Amino acid sequence: MNCAISGEMPEEPVISKKSGLLFEKRLIERHISEFGKCPITGEPLSMDEIVPIKTGKIVKPRPLTAASIPGMLGMFQNEWDGLMLSNFALEQQLLTARQELSHALYQHDAACRVIARLRKERDEARSLLSHAERQIMPMSASTAVVANASALSNGKRASEDEDLGPGGKKLRLGISSTIITELTECNAGLSQQRKKRQIPSTLAPIEALERYTQLSSHPLHKTSKPGIVSLDINYSKDVIATGGVDTNAVLFDRPSGQIVSTLSGHSKKVTSVKFVTQGDLLVTGSADKTVRLWQGSEDGNYDCRHILKDHTAEVQAVTIHATNSYFVTASLDNTWCFYDISSGLCLTQVADTSGPEGRPEGYTSAAFHPDGLILGTGTSEALVKIWDVKSQANVAKFDGHVGSVTAISFSENGYYLATAASDGVKLWDLRKLKNFRSFEFNDTDTPTNSVDFDHSGSYLAVAGADIRVYQVASVKSEWNCVKTFPDLSGTGKAACVKFGTDAKYIAVGSMDRNLRIFGLPGDEGPSES
């Protein structure tokens, strides 16, 4: 007998007391729970009126199609066709899903590129806008005032208001992400080059330095206020720049022994001079609280492009970044400023308020690490501070000196830092942030005024009561004094020292206004000028 609902033989047969009809138990239970009546007669029916039937084991007969080989083959063919159709549908769905995922990933990548480009354009637009505002504000005055404010020959006058933004306030845009990327890429490139760098074969050997003597002496500055307090060398042209107490900066061509140009404009002594390697530019800092950016011309003269008045006290140091696009100035007002060279714009001014109250620690020296992401500054309170340029955070402090830190120089290998003060010179290991050697001199009345590593990192020059040259060694090895030059100025004070190309000569500035060149006898040019 078959189920009255499905027409098939039931596995659990039950019978209705009312109608006597046979049902599959699970089917009639579901129907009664939903409708409460007999599915065939339509009369009210409950599970209490359903009686199970006890039967033996039921074996379902095989379908007719499975009773013969052709029927079974047909059944198998139908199942295979269904399987193939199902597999084809799944493949189509997989292909569609892959295409949709690929399109979504492409859209995400394109969106990321667009966002990056828009951010870069935004930063560039902000920089251009601020630059335009700086140039437009001075133009609000009459044409005559603008003409009088423009830079004249030799930098004797320049715009006084060019660093003012809207409302007469100083613009401080900060160091943008684009600039940080540029600094980081420069750092990575220089670090990689340093690993492959070897000491040049043209470097002057120790035997040559031991025979160095004074080759020439050049009185470059005025006699009314004698003294050279700073110098720098343009190695590509072999031109030496000196900053004097007489308020002038002088450019001196060493091979010819002639003065190239005298830059007048500062009202007090020029405390720092630095060449920009690219673009024939010179930056000068002065005790008159200003910084000037000078542009060289074809006729050999230099014009003042910018006068920067962001400091409120003497500017003691200028240092150029390795990109030749930015520079930093340090002042006794306890701040250092980060500038863009092309626009002369001060991007940020950083002050450290961690010093003792009532004792401002003005900056007396500054220098970039060769890789450009670290800045070292010396203070009037005998501290050396190390800064992370990207975040402008003070990341380390070195103490132990006595008196103002007068000079700072990083070794080209990036590992050593030399600092000078009244108590001599200290050498610091930047990897372990500790002092590993000190040079103390007998003349305690004369501070050590200048220290300079040569470009190869093989020699260190120290200037104070005399001039000394040391051979650079490791942390544990002895740094031998190769040569000592007496101070020939008669003042007992050598103010600045710097190595020439491949240490083939040493330039020294003294307080008697003379620039002296020390080298190997027979290599000298004009002896006096």
Side-chain angles (χ1 to χ4, degrees):
M1 296 181 66
N2 296 331
C3 174
I5 297 177
S6 64
E8 297 180 355
M9 183 177 293
E11 294 180 1
E12 294 183 71
V14 293
I15 192 169
S16 172
K17 292 180 180 181
K18 286 186 176 182
S19 62
L21 295 173
L22 182 70
F23 299 100
E24 175 70 60
K25 182 179 179 181
R26 58 185 177 80
L27 296 179
I28 192 63
E29 281 180 347
R30 182 178 298 176
H31 191 277
I32 291 175
S33 64
E34 292 182 1
F35 302 101
K37 59 184 179 179
C38 178
I40 305 301
T41 63
E43 296 177 355
L45 186 64
S46 65
M47 289 301 298
D48 295 335
E49 297 173 317
I50 298 298
V51 179
I53 300 176
K54 295 182 179 179
T55 62
K57 185 177 180 180
I58 299 174
V59 179
K60 293 184 178 180
R62 289 183 296 175
L64 296 177
T65 55
S68 64
I69 292 177
M72 292 177 67
L73 291 176
M75 184 174 62
F76 292 156
Q77 183 66 50
N78 291 336
E79 291 180 355
W80 175 258
D81 292 344
L83 180 62
M84 290 299 102
L85 291 174
S86 176
N87 186 56
F88 176 76
L90 289 175
E91 288 181 349
Q92 290 294 101
Q93 292 177 1
L94 177 61
L95 178 62
T96 301
R98 283 181 173 175
Q99 290 176 342
E100 291 177 351
L101 177 60
S102 176
H103 184 66
L105 291 175
Y106 175 78
Q107 286 183 324
H108 178 267
D109 184 58
C112 290
R113 291 198 301 269
V114 170
I115 291 172
R117 178 174 57 81
L118 291 176
R119 285 181 175 175
K120 181 178 180 181
E121 291 178 353
R122 180 200 63 187
D123 293 338
E124 292 175 350
R126 284 179 176 176
S127 178
L128 291 174
L129 177 61
S130 63
H131 189 198
E133 288 177 344
R134 293 178 58 254
Q135 292 181 339
I136 291 173
M137 288 302 295
M139 292 175 61
S140 61
S142 63
T143 305
V145 174
V146 174
N148 290 334
S150 61
L152 298 181
S153 176
N154 225 11
K156 292 185 178 180
R157 288 193 300 173
S159 171
E160 299 294 330
D161 298 325
E162 64 179 1
D163 288 313
L164 296 181
K169 295 182 179 180
K170 302 285 184 179
L171 292 174
R172 300 288 183 269
L173 296 179
I175 302 178
S176 67
S177 57
T178 303
I179 296 176
I180 291 177
T181 300
E182 181 182 358
L183 302 183
T184 305
E185 290 176 350
C186 177
N187 171 268
L190 292 175
S191 299
Q192 191 65 27
Q193 292 176 14
R194 181 169 292 105
K195 295 178 181 179
K196 303 177 182 179
R197 180 179 297 163
Q198 296 180 350
I199 296 177
S201 59
T202 53
L203 180 70
I206 296 177
E207 295 78 12
L209 264 72
E210 291 174 342
R211 295 163 49 208
Y212 277 12
T213 185
Q214 179 175 307
L215 302 180
S216 59
S217 177
H218 310 276
L220 303 183
H221 292 266
K222 296 178 181 179
T223 57
S224 57
K225 294 182 178 180
I228 297 175
V229 294
S230 58
L231 67 82
D232 194 27
I233 301 176
N234 185 336
Y235 294 106
S236 62
K237 297 183 177 181
D238 206 356
V239 172
I240 302 174
T242 60
V245 180
D246 62 356
T247 75
N248 294 331
V250 175
L251 274 68
F252 174 77
D253 181 69
R254 190 191 69 87
S256 66
Q258 301 297 318
I259 293 177
V260 177
S261 183
T262 300
L263 312 183
S264 302
H266 286 293
S267 60
K268 294 184 179 181
K269 65 180 179 181
V270 179
T271 56
S272 184
V273 291
K274 287 293 178 183
F275 280 106
V276 180
T277 305
Q278 301 173 356
D280 200 12
L281 297 169
L282 179 72
V283 183
T284 59
S286 171
D288 64 6
K289 308 176 187 178
T290 68
V291 178
R292 290 181 178 242
L293 186 61
W294 308 81
Q295 174 71 63
S297 57
E298 295 181 357
D299 59 3
N301 290 324
Y302 277 70
D303 296 329
C304 183
R305 280 179 47 186
H306 299 288
I307 301 177
L308 313 175
K309 298 183 176 181
D310 296 282
H311 289 292
T312 58
E314 291 186 14
V315 178
Q316 292 284 297
V318 174
T319 178
I320 310 298
H321 190 269
T323 57
N324 291 300
S325 298
Y326 311 98
F327 69 93
V328 161
T329 60
S331 168
L332 290 178
D333 64 4
N334 195 30
T335 67
W336 57 268
C337 293
F338 186 92
Y339 287 96
D340 174 67
I341 287 180
S342 61
S343 64
L345 179 65
C346 177
L347 301 178
T348 186
Q349 187 168 15
V350 181
D352 186 6
T353 59
S354 62
E357 295 184 5
R359 296 175 59 189
E361 296 181 351
Y363 295 116
T364 52
S365 55
F368 271 116
H369 186 273
D371 291 341
L373 288 184
I374 294 176
L375 174 71
T377 58
T379 74
S380 58
E381 294 296 323
L383 277 179
V384 178
K385 298 182 179 182
I386 306 299
W387 303 82
D388 177 7
V389 177
K390 293 191 295 184
S391 63
Q392 300 96 62
N394 181 205
V395 294
K397 292 182 181 180
F398 300 147
D399 56 10
H401 270 300
V402 175
S404 299
V405 179
T406 54
I408 284 179
S409 180
F410 286 96
S411 172
E412 188 60 27
N413 65 10
Y415 298 151
Y416 304 139
L417 170 66
T419 59
S422 299
D423 56 345
V425 174
K426 291 185 181 295
L427 298 173
W428 309 86
D429 185 351
L430 297 177
R431 294 164 293 185
K432 297 183 179 179
L433 300 179
K434 69 175 184 178
N435 170 230
F436 67 91
R437 185 161 280 99
S438 298
F439 300 135
E440 297 179 357
F441 308 113
N442 295 329
D443 191 350
T444 56
D445 295 331
T446 302
T448 306
N449 297 303
S450 180
V451 287
D452 180 58
F453 282 101
D454 79 298
H455 189 261
S456 70
S458 300
Y459 303 116
L460 173 68
V462 178
D466 52 24
I467 303 96
R468 304 187 185 192
V469 179
Y470 292 86
Q471 181 185 11
V472 174
S474 65
V475 172
K476 297 182 179 180
S477 301
E478 188 64 29
W479 291 45
N480 297 319
C481 182
V482 176
K483 183 70 174 180
T484 300
F485 303 102
D487 175 45
L488 301 176
S489 67
T491 63
K493 184 178 181 181
C496 45
V497 61
K498 197 164 186 67
F499 283 101
T501 305
D502 291 331
K504 292 296 179 61
Y505 68 89
I506 300 173
V508 177
S510 301
M511 295 308 293
D512 65 343
R513 79 188 181 96
N514 278 278
L515 171 66
R516 290 179 169 81
I517 306 297
F518 294 84
L520 203 60
D523 292 345
E524 64 267 23
S527 60
E528 299 287 340
S529 63

Coordinates of all heavy atoms in Angstrom, one line a residue, residues 60-107:
K60 N 12.3 -1.1 -0.6 CA 11.7 -0.4 -1.7 C 12.1 -1.1 -3.0 O 13.3 -1.5 -3.2 CB 12.2 1.1 -1.8 CG 11.7 1.9 -0.6 CD 12.2 3.3 -0.8 CE 11.6 4.2 0.3 NZ 12.1 5.6 0.1
P61 N 11.1 -1.3 -3.9 CA 11.5 -1.9 -5.2 C 12.3 -1.0 -6.1 O 12.2 0.2 -5.9 CB 10.1 -2.2 -5.8 CG 9.2 -1.1 -5.2 CD 9.7 -0.9 -3.8
R62 N 13.2 -1.5 -6.9 CA 14.0 -0.7 -7.8 C 13.1 0.0 -8.8 O 12.1 -0.6 -9.3 CB 15.0 -1.6 -8.5 CG 16.1 -2.0 -7.5 CD 17.2 -2.8 -8.3 NE 16.6 -4.0 -8.9 CZ 17.3 -4.8 -9.7 NH1 18.5 -4.5 -10.0 NH2 16.7 -5.9 -10.2
P63 N 13.4 1.2 -9.2 CA 12.6 1.8 -10.3 C 12.8 1.0 -11.6 O 13.7 0.2 -11.8 CB 13.3 3.2 -10.4 CG 14.6 3.0 -9.9 CD 14.5 2.0 -8.8
L64 N 11.8 1.1 -12.5 CA 11.8 0.4 -13.7 C 13.0 0.7 -14.6 O 13.5 -0.2 -15.3 CB 10.5 0.7 -14.5 CG 9.2 0.3 -13.8 CD1 8.0 0.7 -14.6 CD2 9.2 -1.3 -13.6
T65 N 13.5 1.9 -14.5 CA 14.7 2.3 -15.3 C 15.9 1.5 -14.9 O 16.9 1.4 -15.6 CB 15.0 3.8 -15.2 OG1 15.1 4.2 -13.8 CG2 13.9 4.6 -15.8
A66 N 16.0 1.1 -13.6 CA 17.1 0.3 -13.1 C 17.0 -1.2 -13.3 O 17.8 -2.0 -12.9 CB 17.4 0.6 -11.7
A67 N 15.9 -1.6 -14.0 CA 15.7 -3.0 -14.2 C 16.4 -3.6 -15.4 O 16.4 -4.8 -15.6 CB 14.2 -3.3 -14.3
S68 N 16.9 -2.7 -16.3 CA 17.6 -3.2 -17.5 C 18.9 -2.3 -17.7 O 19.0 -1.2 -17.2 CB 16.7 -3.0 -18.7 OG 16.3 -1.7 -18.9
I69 N 19.8 -2.9 -18.5 CA 21.1 -2.2 -18.8 C 20.8 -0.9 -19.6 O 21.4 0.2 -19.2 CB 22.0 -3.1 -19.6 CG1 22.5 -4.2 -18.6 CG2 23.2 -2.3 -20.1 CD1 23.4 -5.2 -19.3
P70 N 20.0 -0.9 -20.6 CA 19.7 0.4 -21.3 C 19.1 1.4 -20.4 O 19.4 2.6 -20.4 CB 18.7 0.0 -22.4 CG 19.0 -1.4 -22.7 CD 19.3 -2.0 -21.3
G71 N 18.2 1.0 -19.5 CA 17.6 1.9 -18.5 C 18.7 2.5 -17.6 O 18.7 3.7 -17.3
M72 N 19.6 1.6 -17.1 CA 20.6 2.1 -16.2 C 21.6 3.1 -16.9 O 22.0 4.1 -16.4 CB 21.4 0.9 -15.7 CG 20.6 0.1 -14.7 SD 21.6 -1.4 -14.1 CE 22.8 -0.6 -13.2
L73 N 21.9 2.8 -18.2 CA 22.8 3.7 -19.0 C 22.1 5.0 -19.2 O 22.7 6.1 -19.1 CB 23.1 3.1 -20.4 CG 24.0 1.8 -20.3 CD1 24.2 1.3 -21.7 CD2 25.4 2.2 -19.8
G74 N 20.8 5.0 -19.4 CA 20.1 6.3 -19.6 C 20.1 7.1 -18.3 O 20.2 8.3 -18.3
M75 N 19.9 6.3 -17.2 CA 19.9 7.0 -15.9 C 21.3 7.6 -15.6 O 21.4 8.8 -15.1 CB 19.5 6.0 -14.8 CG 19.4 6.6 -13.4 SD 18.8 5.4 -12.2 CE 20.1 4.2 -12.2
F76 N 22.4 6.8 -15.9 CA 23.7 7.4 -15.7 C 24.0 8.6 -16.6 O 24.6 9.6 -16.2 CB 24.8 6.3 -16.0 CG 24.8 5.2 -15.0 CD1 25.2 3.9 -15.3 CD2 24.3 5.3 -13.7 CE1 25.2 2.9 -14.4 CE2 24.3 4.3 -12.8 CZ 24.7 3.1 -13.2
Q77 N 23.5 8.5 -17.8 CA 23.7 9.6 -18.7 C 23.0 10.9 -18.2 O 23.6 12.0 -18.3 CB 23.1 9.3 -20.1 CG 23.3 10.4 -21.2 CD 24.8 10.6 -21.5 OE1 25.5 9.6 -21.8 NE2 25.3 11.8 -21.4
N78 N 21.8 10.7 -17.7 CA 21.1 11.9 -17.1 C 21.8 12.5 -15.9 O 21.9 13.7 -15.8 CB 19.6 11.5 -16.7 CG 18.8 11.1 -17.9 OD1 19.0 11.6 -19.0 ND2 17.7 10.3 -17.7
E79 N 22.3 11.6 -15.1 CA 23.1 12.1 -13.9 C 24.4 12.8 -14.4 O 24.8 13.8 -13.8 CB 23.4 10.9 -13.0 CG 22.2 10.4 -12.3 CD 22.6 9.2 -11.3 OE1 23.8 8.8 -11.3 OE2 21.7 8.7 -10.6
W80 N 25.1 12.2 -15.4 CA 26.3 12.9 -15.9 C 26.0 14.2 -16.5 O 26.7 15.2 -16.3 CB 27.0 11.9 -16.9 CG 28.2 12.5 -17.6 CD1 28.2 13.1 -18.8 CD2 29.5 12.7 -17.0 NE1 29.5 13.6 -19.1 CE2 30.3 13.3 -18.0 CE3 30.0 12.3 -15.8 CZ2 31.6 13.6 -17.7 CZ3 31.3 12.6 -15.6 CH2 32.1 13.2 -16.5
D81 N 24.9 14.3 -17.3 CA 24.6 15.6 -17.9 C 24.3 16.6 -16.8 O 24.7 17.8 -16.9 CB 23.3 15.4 -18.8 CG 23.7 14.5 -20.1 OD1 24.9 14.4 -20.3 OD2 22.7 14.1 -20.7
G82 N 23.5 16.2 -15.8 CA 23.2 17.1 -14.7 C 24.5 17.6 -14.0 O 24.6 18.8 -13.6
L83 N 25.4 16.6 -13.8 CA 26.7 17.0 -13.2 C 27.5 18.0 -14.0 O 28.1 19.0 -13.5 CB 27.5 15.7 -12.9 CG 28.9 15.9 -12.2 CD1 28.7 16.5 -10.9 CD2 29.6 14.6 -12.1
M84 N 27.6 17.8 -15.3 CA 28.3 18.7 -16.2 C 27.7 20.1 -16.2 O 28.3 21.1 -16.2 CB 28.3 18.1 -17.6 CG 29.2 16.9 -17.8 SD 30.9 17.2 -17.4 CE 31.0 16.5 -15.8
L85 N 26.3 20.1 -16.3 CA 25.6 21.4 -16.2 C 25.9 22.2 -14.9 O 26.1 23.4 -14.9 CB 24.1 21.2 -16.4 CG 23.7 20.7 -17.8 CD1 22.2 20.4 -17.8 CD2 24.0 21.8 -18.9
S86 N 25.9 21.4 -13.8 CA 26.2 22.0 -12.5 C 27.6 22.5 -12.5 O 27.9 23.7 -12.0 CB 25.9 21.0 -11.4 OG 26.3 21.6 -10.2
N87 N 28.6 21.7 -13.0 CA 30.0 22.1 -13.0 C 30.2 23.4 -13.9 O 30.9 24.3 -13.5 CB 30.8 21.0 -13.5 CG 32.3 21.3 -13.4 OD1 32.8 21.6 -12.3 ND2 33.0 21.2 -14.5
F88 N 29.5 23.4 -15.0 CA 29.6 24.6 -15.9 C 29.1 25.9 -15.2 O 29.7 26.9 -15.3 CB 28.9 24.3 -17.2 CG 28.8 25.5 -18.1 CD1 29.9 25.9 -18.9 CD2 27.7 26.3 -18.2 CE1 29.9 26.9 -19.7 CE2 27.7 27.4 -19.1 CZ 28.8 27.7 -19.8
A89 N 28.0 25.7 -14.5 CA 27.4 26.9 -13.8 C 28.4 27.4 -12.7 O 28.6 28.6 -12.5 CB 26.1 26.5 -13.2
L90 N 29.0 26.4 -12.0 CA 30.0 26.8 -11.0 C 31.2 27.5 -11.6 O 31.7 28.5 -11.0 CB 30.5 25.6 -10.2 CG 29.4 25.0 -9.3 CD1 30.0 23.7 -8.7 CD2 29.0 25.9 -8.1
E91 N 31.7 27.1 -12.7 CA 32.8 27.7 -13.4 C 32.5 29.1 -13.8 O 33.3 30.1 -13.7 CB 33.3 26.9 -14.6 CG 34.0 25.6 -14.2 CD 34.5 24.8 -15.4 OE1 34.1 25.2 -16.5 OE2 35.2 23.9 -15.2
Q92 N 31.3 29.3 -14.3 CA 30.8 30.6 -14.7 C 30.8 31.6 -13.5 O 31.2 32.7 -13.6 CB 29.4 30.5 -15.4 CG 29.5 29.9 -16.8 CD 30.2 30.7 -17.8 OE1 31.4 30.4 -18.1 NE2 29.6 31.7 -18.3
Q93 N 30.3 31.1 -12.4 CA 30.2 31.9 -11.2 C 31.6 32.3 -10.7 O 31.9 33.4 -10.3 CB 29.4 31.2 -10.1 CG 27.9 31.0 -10.4 CD 27.2 30.2 -9.4 OE1 27.8 29.8 -8.4 NE2 25.9 30.0 -9.6
L94 N 32.5 31.3 -10.8 CA 33.9 31.6 -10.4 C 34.6 32.6 -11.2 O 35.3 33.5 -10.7 CB 34.7 30.3 -10.4 CG 36.2 30.4 -10.0 CD1 36.4 30.9 -8.6 CD2 36.9 29.0 -10.2
L95 N 34.4 32.5 -12.6 CA 35.0 33.5 -13.5 C 34.4 34.9 -13.2 O 35.1 35.9 -13.2 CB 34.7 33.1 -14.9 CG 35.2 34.0 -16.0 CD1 36.7 34.1 -15.9 CD2 34.8 33.5 -17.4
T96 N 33.1 35.0 -13.0 CA 32.5 36.2 -12.7 C 33.0 36.9 -11.4 O 33.3 38.0 -11.3 CB 31.0 36.1 -12.6 OG1 30.5 35.6 -13.8 CG2 30.3 37.4 -12.3
A97 N 33.2 36.0 -10.4 CA 33.7 36.5 -9.1 C 35.2 37.0 -9.3 O 35.5 38.0 -8.7 CB 33.6 35.4 -8.1
R98 N 36.0 36.3 -10.1 CA 37.4 36.7 -10.3 C 37.4 38.0 -11.0 O 38.2 38.9 -10.7 CB 38.1 35.6 -11.1 CG 38.5 34.4 -10.3 CD 39.3 33.4 -11.1 NE 39.8 32.3 -10.3 CZ 40.4 31.3 -10.9 NH1 40.6 31.2 -12.2 NH2 40.9 30.3 -10.1
Q99 N 36.6 38.2 -12.0 CA 36.5 39.5 -12.7 C 36.1 40.6 -11.8 O 36.7 41.7 -11.9 CB 35.6 39.4 -13.9 CG 36.1 38.5 -15.0 CD 35.1 38.3 -16.2 OE1 33.9 38.6 -16.0 NE2 35.6 37.8 -17.3
E100 N 35.1 40.4 -11.0 CA 34.7 41.4 -10.1 C 35.8 41.8 -9.1 O 36.0 43.0 -8.8 CB 33.4 41.0 -9.4 CG 32.2 40.9 -10.3 CD 31.0 40.3 -9.5 OE1 31.2 39.9 -8.4 OE2 29.9 40.4 -10.1
L101 N 36.5 40.8 -8.6 CA 37.6 41.0 -7.6 C 38.7 41.8 -8.3 O 39.3 42.7 -7.7 CB 38.1 39.7 -7.0 CG 39.3 39.8 -6.1 CD1 38.9 40.6 -4.9 CD2 39.7 38.4 -5.7
S102 N 39.1 41.4 -9.5 CA 40.2 42.1 -10.2 C 39.8 43.6 -10.5 O 40.6 44.5 -10.3 CB 40.5 41.4 -11.5 OG 41.4 42.1 -12.3
H103 N 38.6 43.8 -10.8 CA 38.1 45.2 -11.1 C 38.2 46.0 -9.8 O 38.6 47.2 -9.8 CB 36.7 45.1 -11.7 CG 36.2 46.5 -12.0 ND1 36.7 47.3 -13.0 CD2 35.2 47.2 -11.5 CE1 36.1 48.4 -13.1 NE2 35.1 48.4 -12.2
A104 N 37.7 45.4 -8.7 CA 37.7 46.1 -7.4 C 39.2 46.4 -7.0 O 39.5 47.5 -6.5 CB 37.0 45.2 -6.3
L105 N 40.1 45.5 -7.2 CA 41.5 45.7 -6.8 C 42.1 46.8 -7.7 O 42.9 47.7 -7.2 CB 42.3 44.4 -6.9 CG 42.0 43.3 -5.9 CD1 42.8 42.1 -6.3 CD2 42.4 43.8 -4.5
Y106 N 41.8 46.8 -9.0 CA 42.3 47.9 -9.8 C 41.8 49.2 -9.4 O 42.5 50.2 -9.4 CB 41.9 47.6 -11.3 CG 42.2 48.7 -12.2 CD1 43.5 48.8 -12.7 CD2 41.3 49.6 -12.7 CE1 43.9 49.8 -13.6 CE2 41.6 50.6 -13.5 CZ 42.9 50.7 -14.0 OH 43.2 51.8 -14.8
Q107 N 40.5 49.3 -9.1 CA 39.9 50.6 -8.6 C 40.5 51.0 -7.3 O 40.8 52.2 -7.2 CB 38.4 50.4 -8.4 CG 37.6 50.3 -9.7 CD 36.1 50.2 -9.4 OE1 35.7 49.6 -8.5 NE2 35.3 50.8 -10.3

